[in-house]
Amino acid sequence: MDNFITVVISKLLLPLTIFLIGLVLGRKTDRLDDRSISAAGLFVFVPFYFFRLSMSQNPAAHEFVFILFFIFFHPLILFGAAYKAFQLLEANPRTRRLMLTNTLIVSIFGMRFIQPLLGDPAAALQTVNIQIFYHALILATLGIFLLSHEVWAQDRLLAIFKTPLIYVLGLGFLVSLFHPVVPYPVLEVIDSMHGVVYPLCLLIAGILFGKQVFFSEMGEYLALLPALGLCVFFRLIFSPVLAMAIVPLMNMDNVTLERSLVLGSGMPTGLLAALLVSYYGKSHEKRFTILCIVGSTLLHFLTLPLLENLTDSWFPV
């Protein structure tokens, strides 16, 4: 019973509490500037998280290449299918890019919860770490490209290199390759900043929900349902089904890796999307994103057990 209470507190109650604190702040504090808080998160704290993540990689691991192959083809097909579907809504290009962002940015924090479902703990940790690294790379490149304010594609491409995210990922990866000695006080600072990111993302998501979503206006949000439904469909259903089609073709002979790729593909829209849209987006875009994050996360509690059962059948431990 004590273990159960500990799991509930650490896995559910604590994140929910932080989210609710953000919600209350968003409701009650009129001059609370979520864009400034998101800028601090996106350009100060998240770079430390990404650096710590990338420096802990093992590029020599055979999983690294397999996951690179998967991460290239899976998002590419997902992007193409979602883009064609979003065109049917006759939304403007900016709105389509917002929808693609909410489809492609997965919950890298949520991926930690699938580790116990993968089998060998050490292999599961390494596999999930590599996946998170690649998804961080997608956020630092494609996420910035899609949501940047610039009109022209070449300007949005340049916007990627105006943020520290891509550079810290590269620097951390170089550290993982050449193994320089990093002084302990520096590691201590990095680890401390790294630990701030998850609660900060929850807080910002709560603030966005508090400022943008009002239950008295739910009738007005019905117009968002087709777009939200498509995003959630591609994130929670199409993405893992696509993964289940791709993974057997890769002949990996590694059950932990196969299960990780399938289960990881069924993650909800990530909290880091809230930071991106809070900094780059307008009010209605923030509302759409936070509804997508909350909606896909709640539905994920239903889809994950189904996906786990399918994974157990196709890729038994």
Side-chain angles (χ1 to χ4, degrees):
M1 186 64 179
D2 289 341
N3 288 337
F4 174 77
I5 294 173
T6 301
V7 168
V8 170
I9 291 174
S10 62
K11 302 298 185 183
L12 185 60
L13 184 57
L14 182 58
L16 183 60
T17 301
I18 297 172
F19 180 86
L20 289 175
I21 290 171
L23 190 155
V24 172
L25 287 173
R27 280 277 198 274
K28 301 297 183 182
T29 311
D30 294 333
R31 297 185 180 181
L32 187 61
D33 182 7
D34 61 89
R35 188 173 187 269
S36 297
I37 301 172
S38 296
L42 202 56
F43 303 130
V44 178
F45 293 101
V46 171
F48 280 96
Y49 182 91
F50 281 5
F51 180 77
R52 186 70 181 86
L53 173 68
S54 56
M55 70 178 288
S56 64
Q57 297 301 310
N58 180 12
H62 72 279
E63 293 94 343
F64 209 84
V65 177
F66 277 121
I67 297 176
L68 174 61
F69 179 87
F70 177 86
I71 288 293
F72 177 80
F73 283 101
H74 179 271
L76 183 65
I77 298 171
L78 179 63
F79 182 98
Y83 184 81
K84 287 294 184 182
F86 297 157
Q87 281 184 319
L88 299 176
L89 296 178
E90 299 182 353
N92 62 60
R94 171 73 185 182
T95 300
R96 289 202 298 269
R97 294 202 302 271
L98 174 70
M99 294 171 68
L100 285 167
T101 302
N102 283 282
T103 301
L104 295 171
I105 303 301
V106 306
S107 175
I108 62 176
F109 304 114
M111 293 189 74
R112 294 295 180 196
F113 295 104
I114 68 171
Q115 281 181 214
L117 309 177
L118 302 181
D120 178 62
L125 176 62
Q126 176 170 272
T127 301
V128 169
N129 276 344
I130 297 172
Q131 278 186 268
I132 291 175
F133 169 74
Y134 282 127
H135 283 297
L137 190 59
I138 289 173
L139 181 137
T141 53
L142 194 56
I144 301 293
F145 176 82
L146 289 171
L147 277 188
S148 177
H149 298 299
E150 281 76 11
V151 176
W152 302 105
Q154 60 267 30
D155 294 328
R156 297 202 303 274
L157 188 64
L158 287 174
I160 296 171
F161 301 97
K162 294 178 182 178
T163 75
L165 301 179
I166 191 69
Y167 300 109
V168 294
L169 282 169
L171 182 60
F173 191 69
L174 288 175
V175 171
S176 73
L177 279 173
F178 298 107
H179 306 291
V181 177
V182 180
Y184 179 75
V186 174
L187 284 176
E188 214 171 26
V189 171
I190 293 171
D191 285 341
S192 298
M193 299 289 273
H194 172 278
V196 171
V197 173
Y198 181 43
L200 180 62
C201 288
L202 286 166
L203 187 71
I204 291 171
I207 291 171
L208 288 183
F209 195 90
K211 292 180 69 174
Q212 302 296 336
V213 179
F214 299 92
F215 295 107
S216 60
E217 300 175 359
M218 278 299 174
E220 299 177 16
Y221 303 155
L222 293 178
L224 300 175
L225 282 181
L228 284 170
L230 269 180
C231 287
V232 172
F233 167 78
F234 278 106
R235 182 65 268 138
L236 297 182
I237 298 176
F238 185 87
S239 177
V241 169
L242 177 62
M244 295 182 79
I246 293 175
V247 166
L249 301 177
M250 296 173 64
N251 295 318
M252 290 180 285
D253 195 28
N254 183 329
V255 174
T256 299
L257 180 54
E258 290 171 336
R259 292 173 63 86
S260 177
L261 292 176
V262 172
L263 291 170
S265 297
M267 288 290 106
T269 301
L271 284 170
L272 288 174
L275 263 71
L276 277 178
V277 78
S278 179
Y279 182 75
Y280 288 107
K282 298 176 181 178
S283 179
H284 67 280
E285 294 172 336
K286 297 176 184 180
R287 181 180 302 114
F288 181 88
T289 297
I290 194 59
L291 287 172
C292 195
I293 291 171
V294 172
S296 63
T297 300
L298 292 175
L299 287 173
H300 181 246
F301 288 109
L302 299 177
T303 59
L304 181 60
L306 298 175
L307 183 58
E308 184 187 356
N309 287 333
L310 284 174
T311 307
D312 289 339
S313 301
W314 285 43
F315 311 103
V317 178

